[in-house]
Amino acid sequence: MNEIKPPLAQIELVVGDITQQADADIIVNAANAQLESGGGVAGAIHRAAGPDLAEACRPLAPIRPGKAVISPAFRLPNSYVIHCLGPVYGRDEPSDTLLANCYRNALLLADKQQVKSIAFPAISTGIFGFPKEKAAEIALRTIKSSIPSLQTIRTIRMVLFDQADLTIFEGKLAQIIE
Ligand code: AR6
């Protein structure tokens, strides 16, 4: 019997702002344990979503490193926000596993919503200090290994903040795809 399999999800790398990904069903927040606003990605997401986001997040907090929880997106142009707590580099161990858990847990949670697309920032590579080369390798390897388990997600976008970060991710993706 011939089984028709749907196409696998594609990985996209772009330079941009995570709050401006109107065509992504879900965006991922590089959150803090309390799921409050803050600097970096979390600050930008909470500002763009409006105060209802903090209200919706309160009963979901606190979360541990590697975990992912979901909320509505309020004023953002997306359907949901998935909040992931990345490891603080040098403090939360094993940092590689905890960072990989963020990507895997976020993808599985997104797929449960039966949506098609998700956009990630480079979790832990800002205030939490994770080295970017290493973070890129973990992010892309984990995304790649999660793809066969996904039922509805077809686009997984990494939104990098600048050209230098994009170059790091492009280099790693080329190695990993080979
Ligand atoms: N869009 C895409 N990427 C961004 C944006 C944006 N708007 N803003 C920053 N980046 P960070 P973390 C990049 O610090 O390291 C917060 O205060 C940034 O250049 O947001 O996981 C939370 O409340 C970096 O490469 O997240 C936590 O306390 C990457 O996104 C803590 O920071 C992640 O930077 C989380 O730290």
Side-chain angles (χ1 to χ4, degrees):
M1 197 175 74
N2 283 331
E3 196 188 336
I4 299 170
K5 289 197 179 142
L8 291 173
Q10 305 277 324
I11 303 175
E12 294 178 357
L13 305 178
V14 302
V15 174
D17 182 334
I18 194 72
T19 65
Q20 305 283 319
Q21 307 301 312
D23 58 344
D25 297 312
I26 296 184
I27 60 166
V28 175
N29 183 13
N32 50 70
Q34 297 305 324
L35 305 178
E36 289 167 348
S37 187
V41 167
I45 286 179
H46 277 266
R47 270 193 305 279
D52 289 345
L53 182 61
E55 193 68 34
C57 283
R58 206 162 294 132
L60 306 174
I63 63 168
R64 284 177 292 120
K67 298 291 171 193
V69 294
I70 191 163
S71 75
F74 299 102
R75 290 185 206 152
L76 281 159
N78 317 98
S79 300
Y80 303 98
V81 179
I82 289 181
H83 308 263
C84 285
L85 180 60
V88 175
Y89 195 70
R91 187 190 79 184
D92 299 322
E93 298 293 350
S95 60
D96 292 20
T97 306
L98 294 172
L99 187 61
N101 290 350
C102 282
Y103 285 93
R104 190 174 311 102
N105 287 331
L107 286 169
L108 296 176
L109 186 52
D111 204 53
K112 271 196 197 160
Q113 314 310 311
Q114 303 192 318
V115 298
K116 288 196 169 142
S117 53
I118 181 168
F120 284 91
I123 299 169
S124 282
T125 65
I127 292 164
F128 284 178
F130 212 106
K132 288 185 175 168
E133 292 263 350
K134 212 170 154 188
E137 172 144 18
I138 294 164
L140 294 170
R141 282 199 189 283
T142 308
I143 291 170
K144 188 183 171 204
S145 68
S146 301
I147 283 176
S149 327
L150 302 175
Q151 303 293 317
T152 68
I153 300 278
R154 292 292 169 264
T155 305
I156 303 165
R157 181 180 300 159
M158 287 296 315
V159 181
L160 290 324
F161 210 37
D162 58 25
Q163 183 62 46
D165 290 357
L166 177 66
T167 302
I168 293 173
F169 273 74
E170 281 176 343
K172 288 291 172 199
L173 187 60
Q175 285 172 12
I176 285 165
I177 295 292
E178 267 168 17

